[in-house]
Every structure is written in C-alpha cells, then in structure tokens.
Amino acid sequence: MDSCFSLKMVFSSQTPSSAEFHYEIQNHSISERFLSDVCLFETDDINDLHIKAEHCRIFTTGGEGQVAFDENGLKLQDGLPSVFTEGVKDDAFYDAVAGLGDRKAAKKAKSFTVYSGPLTVLQSDGVTAMISLPNGRRAFTVTALEFDGKGRFQKLSVRSLYNCTIKGNETLSTETVRIETVNTAGDDQAAALILAYADARAEKLQVTKKPASLMRNPMLRKLETAPFIDDISAPVWTSRPDFLLKDSEGMPVLYQKDGKEYRVFDITCPDVLNYLEQSYQALSANGFSCFELLDTLAPLFAKNAVYQDHTVSLCKAYRKAINAIRHGAGDSYLILTGGLTAPVLGLIDGVRPADNALFYAEGPAKATDDDPRALYQKQTLLRFYENLWWNLEPDFLAALSCLVKESAFRGALPGVLASINAVPYEMIPLSLMDSERFPEKFLFADPEKDVNWFIRLNRGIFSKEGGFELSGALLNGIPDPEDKLYTVTDCLNGLQGKEVAKGAFVPGLNIPGEGISIIRIED
C-alpha cells in the first residue's frame, strides 16, 4: 500500500468469542492516490481462531461469483462451494481447489489456494469458527486459504480489492469483517449457524425476497438480455461513443462470445446508467416482466481497461449498474446468470448460478471425479443459505437427478420435483460438515403447505439401510404439538402413508447404490 495511506482499525463490537471490525483508510496527501487492495485479516496460525488445524473441516462459499486478484489485477475465480478436510487431498479437497476449472491441473500443483466468498466456516473438536463479511457493497472481497503440497494449512487472509483512486485527504471505510467462535456439537448446528448468518445479512442489508411462486407464473414474459455489451455495429456506438469502455491505448475493449466480438459499456459513466434504466423501462412498457441478465462480467474483467470514473471501486460500479436496471425494470423479475452475486443483494430476484441445462439434458450419471454434473449438483446443495436472499432458477435444481438410476429418473423423481415446484422455500443440508464429499441428507421445507421432503443420497455402489428417526429437524416448519401423528411416505421405495409420531423410528427399504430416497412428511 502507498505510504501516503494510513489504516485505523475500528471495532463495531468485541466479546471474548467474537469481533466485528473495519478499517478507516486515510489518504494523507493532497493529491489523488491509487488504492489497489487492502488486507482486512490474516493469520498463519489457525489456533488464532480457537481451531486446531490438523484435520479440521472447512466450508467455503465459493460460487457466489467471488473474485481473486494478484499482481495482474482482477480475475474471476470459478469457486465451488465446498466442504473438505485439512491435510486430506481427496476429491472434496480438489473440488475446493479447482472449483469448476481444470481438476487434473490442480492435482499437479505443489501448493494450493482455496478461495471463499463472504462466509468461511472452520470446525474441529466441537468448536466452529466463522469468518463473514456482513455487507459486501463497497469492494470485491475474497477469503483465501493457502495449503502446502500435502494439503496442510499455511495461511488464511481476507482482502478487499478497490482498484480506484482516493482523493487527497479523503477517508474511506472498508468492508466489515466478523469473526466468531461457537461451541458446537453435531452437524445440524453448523447448518443452522450458516442460515442465521444469511438471515442476519438479509436483515442488515434490508433484503426482501419475492415469492418463489412468481417464477412459476405462466404469464411471466421472459427476455434474455446482455445489458453491458452490444454488437460492434450497434447504432449506440455511433450516437454515443462516450459509452465505450476503452483500453489504455484508447481502443474499444472487445468481448468475445460464441465466435463473435462485442463492444462493452463503461459502467462507471453516469450516462450509461441512465441509458440502461431507460432501456429496461422501455422493455417493461412493451410487456416483458422477467429479464435474465447475461454477460454482466464483461466490463469487470476487461484487460487494460481504463474507466471514465477512476474514483469508484468496480464493486460499487457493478452494483450501480445493476441498480439502474432494477429501477428501469420496476416490479419485473430479474434473474442473474453467471454474475457476481455478493454486491447485488436486494436487487436481484433469482439467480442461475451455473448453466446446468445441457448436463441435465444428457441424463443421469455417476458422481465420478471427472463428471461435471456431480459438481453442479454439489453447488446446488451447498448454496442452501442463498434461498433467504433470492430464488434459485428452477431447472438448476434438476441437477438432483444426476445420482438417480435411469429407471427412477424416468419415474418418480421428476414428479416429486414437480410436486415441490422445483423451487424450495427452504433447503437445509442435514449432513453438511460430516459428509465425505457432498451433503448426503437434506430437507426441502414448504411452510405454506406444512410439507417437508427428506432426501438422502447414496453415493456409494452398495445399498444402505433406509430407516430413520422422525426427529424435530425433519419436522422443521411443521407444527409439532404433543401426541401428533404425521403422514410419512417413501416416494420411491414403497412406504405409503404411514402414521408416525415425533421421535419414532421409521423403518424403510434400503437405498440402492448410487440411488436416492425421497420421504414426504406432512401434517
């Protein structure tokens, strides 16, 4: 960092088990100074978090569209939400390291870095540590966990990228970091802590989620749009050349897609924001009520780009641009596809975190190391906490079919997913930190109908015993007065309409290898 800058740590709260703080950055010079990035937290001793490093379990929220940065600047990190074990270089570890990228290349590395989003959870010996960023609108922030060649912990750091100039004598507040440790025992508590974090963040940022039923409205007229790029020959470039994002040589930045080249809008230009707002206002006036936003990363990761307003961070610029679309679209439904989600909480109604439609169409497959369908399925399950902020696009959840044998896939499962409308009001993993690679048990909860779907995946090749206890966790959201009986149905394995009391053991048929069990529980 430039010597003209000074850092002052400011605590919002501090207790023996938690701390919430940010930094005040001041430019002491009288002229503008460029601020690249700021380290908010760093440790090479995980015991600082009251966690034993050896074989601790780590949950990273990759896949929120987080970024990484190095000496070459900003780059997209294709992170995959992951749960893995320190010092164990198994498939789960390489899921975290490679994300949706080249897994074979990752396995040849001599050291490893795992990037996480706004939440990272570490757990060992009944203690859970959480590192979170409650806001996320000032600058792109990434948590990086570094491991040696044997997968052993080396360093954890939280850094924010600003990539903008700070005016003379100006003071800037960084993102807030919250670090807390909790005594926990059992996996369900880890999932509950993550849900509590998501709920608190929604409240802090005043995020309200539209009903999931809107996504199933047949009257919803959907239009795919790429707001930040346009064809090279588009009239807008002739009428408003100032809209162009240019490089350091003054040439238009080009964006390539499907063999074509496009020009890119400079989203730091105020007139571009007005243009976006007016464009979506016109589209809404013409009867469109749902917009899918594609290729929104184009102005962020352009090489050698020179932005018109160099005093605004790219994170703020990105949010302002999406906010302009939000204003123009009015009450229309906005779906973000493949964009950066952390900065746009409260602006987006639905998210399509990965393009899984092709993989789904290809049919079921085993969750092998080289099968990308398994990785997309994992991403679906580990983004459960985001259901408090927006809706996941329906066809994305169809990735659940990847582990279902063809007969079941063609039979009961599509009907079950249709019954729950493929959009959960709440999805909670029940085996988050203790699964070998993926969550193996999770719950769809439909509080409007007092119906839950308890789903178990058998990722091995041998069958597993299918009985279970009707615990309070499985009745999540369903009224459970004393002496109440619940109707339990095994949708695939033949248990039909059995009346069961809370706490009772429910016998079930074995779950076949690479198979699935879907239990319907209703009031």
Side-chain angles (χ1 to χ4, degrees):
M1 181 184 294
D2 192 313
S3 59
C4 292
F5 290 111
S6 65
L7 286 177
K8 178 184 177 182
M9 179 182 282
V10 179
F11 284 92
S12 307
S13 63
Q14 189 174 18
T15 70
S17 61
S18 68
E20 186 169 300
F21 60 91
H22 69 278
Y23 287 94
E24 298 290 338
I25 306 174
Q26 185 175 5
N27 177 9
H28 291 283
S29 71
I30 60 174
S31 58
E32 289 185 349
R33 296 288 180 174
F34 181 77
L35 178 63
S36 174
D37 63 290
V38 178
C39 181
L40 304 179
F41 177 76
E42 184 175 272
T43 181
D44 58 5
D45 185 356
I46 207 169
N47 284 296
D48 291 342
L49 304 173
H50 307 288
I51 294 290
K52 294 181 179 179
E54 187 176 6
H55 287 181
C56 75
R57 296 287 282 168
I58 303 172
F59 171 80
T60 59
T61 52
E64 282 197 46
Q66 82 276 17
V67 300
F69 36 90
D70 54 26
E71 63 276 5
N72 297 317
L74 187 69
K75 63 179 180 179
L76 178 65
Q77 176 62 36
D78 291 327
L80 185 72
S82 296
V83 181
F84 60 97
T85 301
E86 188 272 352
V88 180
K89 293 167 62 178
D90 56 5
D91 287 335
F93 180 78
Y94 288 112
D95 283 353
V97 171
L100 300 176
D102 188 344
R103 296 167 60 78
K104 292 182 179 179
K107 291 184 177 182
K108 297 178 181 178
K110 295 182 179 180
S111 62
F112 307 93
T113 301
V114 175
Y115 296 102
S116 185
L119 176 67
T120 305
V121 180
L122 304 98
Q123 189 176 80
S124 70
D125 295 341
V127 177
T128 299
M130 300 177 64
I131 303 171
S132 61
L133 293 107
N135 197 309
R137 296 175 175 176
R138 292 189 176 96
F140 294 131
T141 305
V142 64
T143 300
L145 298 102
E146 299 177 25
F147 302 88
D148 65 15
K150 295 184 178 180
R152 294 175 301 198
F153 175 83
Q154 296 291 291
K155 186 170 71 172
L156 182 151
S157 61
V158 183
R159 304 185 72 86
S160 274
L161 177 76
Y162 286 88
N163 199 38
C164 63
T165 57
I166 309 300
K167 295 178 181 178
N169 296 317
E170 184 177 19
T171 299
L172 175 74
S173 295
T174 70
E175 294 289 359
T176 297
V177 179
R178 181 173 177 82
I179 301 174
E180 55 190 316
T181 58
V182 183
N183 290 323
T184 54
D187 178 65
D188 293 349
Q189 289 180 293
L193 287 171
I194 293 172
L195 283 171
Y197 150 80
D199 192 43
R201 193 175 184 198
E203 182 178 356
K204 179 180 177 67
L205 301 180
Q206 299 180 331
V207 174
T208 56
K209 172 184 167 182
K210 288 185 178 179
S213 57
L214 282 177
M215 298 187 77
R216 305 187 292 273
N217 186 348
M219 301 300 291
L220 202 67
R221 293 187 63 195
K222 177 178 172 183
L223 183 66
E224 292 187 351
T225 61
F228 300 157
I229 61 173
D230 208 339
D231 191 88
I232 288 180
S233 60
V236 65
W237 305 127
T238 303
S239 61
R240 294 302 303 264
D242 55 315
F243 284 5
L244 277 169
L245 179 62
K246 298 181 180 179
D247 62 21
S248 56
E249 297 181 357
M251 300 299 294
V253 167
L254 297 178
Y255 177 79
Q256 295 187 351
K257 178 184 178 183
D258 299 331
K260 288 187 62 177
E261 288 186 331
Y262 299 83
R263 289 182 175 175
V264 182
F265 288 94
D266 187 333
I267 59 174
T268 70
C269 173
D271 286 345
V272 166
L273 303 187
N274 293 333
Y275 173 79
L276 290 171
E277 181 173 346
Q278 293 168 10
S279 297
Y280 280 85
Q281 194 172 42
L283 291 171
S284 297
N286 278 280
F288 292 101
S289 53
C290 178
F291 300 100
E292 187 164 0
L293 308 182
L294 309 171
D295 301 296
T296 62
L297 301 179
L300 299 180
F301 300 98
K303 293 183 178 180
N304 300 318
V306 177
Y307 300 91
Q308 292 184 32
D309 185 353
H310 51 78
T311 65
V312 60
S313 72
L314 287 178
C315 180
K316 282 187 176 181
Y318 187 71
R319 180 173 176 82
K320 285 182 178 181
I322 298 295
N323 192 45
I325 295 171
R326 172 80 277 171
H327 284 169
D331 291 332
S332 296
Y333 199 94
L334 295 185
I335 300 173
L336 186 69
T337 297
L340 299 181
T341 57
V344 296
L345 277 168
L347 301 180
I348 297 298
D349 305 307
V351 169
R352 184 172 187 160
D355 185 5
N356 73 295
L358 173 63
F359 298 108
Y360 172 44
E362 290 176 353
K366 297 179 181 179
T368 61
D369 178 48
D370 297 319
D371 183 5
R373 286 168 288 192
L375 300 183
Y376 283 123
Q377 181 194 60
K378 179 182 181 182
Q379 186 172 161
T380 304
L381 301 181
L382 289 178
R383 293 170 71 93
F384 68 99
Y385 57 94
E386 288 195 359
N387 285 302
L388 298 177
W389 302 334
W390 42 56
N391 303 305
L392 296 182
E393 201 172 23
D395 61 352
F396 186 62
L397 290 175
L400 289 172
S401 65
C402 291
L403 288 184
V404 183
K405 286 186 176 294
E406 190 168 355
S407 58
F409 170 75
R410 291 178 175 175
L413 184 62
V416 171
L417 290 177
S419 298
I420 61 176
N421 297 306
V423 182
Y425 290 89
E426 188 173 8
M427 181 171 67
I428 305 172
L430 301 177
S431 58
L432 179 62
M433 301 294 276
D434 58 359
S435 297
E436 291 184 3
R437 185 180 180 193
F438 298 81
E440 296 174 347
K441 298 181 291 183
F442 55 98
L443 191 72
F444 286 114
D446 187 342
E448 293 184 2
K449 299 179 181 178
D450 288 337
V451 174
N452 288 349
W453 304 85
F454 173 39
I455 299 180
R456 289 174 295 172
L457 303 175
N458 180 4
R459 303 182 186 278
I461 61 174
F462 301 106
S463 63
K464 287 186 177 180
E465 201 278 322
F468 63 94
E469 178 187 338
L470 187 61
S471 64
L474 298 185
L475 294 173
N476 178 66
I478 300 178
D480 58 346
E482 292 185 11
D483 303 324
K484 173 72 177 178
L485 294 179
Y486 303 88
T487 302
V488 178
T489 304
D490 188 330
C491 300
L492 296 181
N493 297 323
L495 176 66
Q496 299 295 327
K498 184 178 179 63
E499 298 295 314
V500 180
K502 178 181 178 181
F505 183 79
V506 182
L509 299 178
N510 287 347
I511 308 171
E514 299 169 8
I516 191 169
S517 170
I518 302 177
I519 306 294
R520 179 186 171 103
I521 304 168
E522 55 192 318
D523 189 353

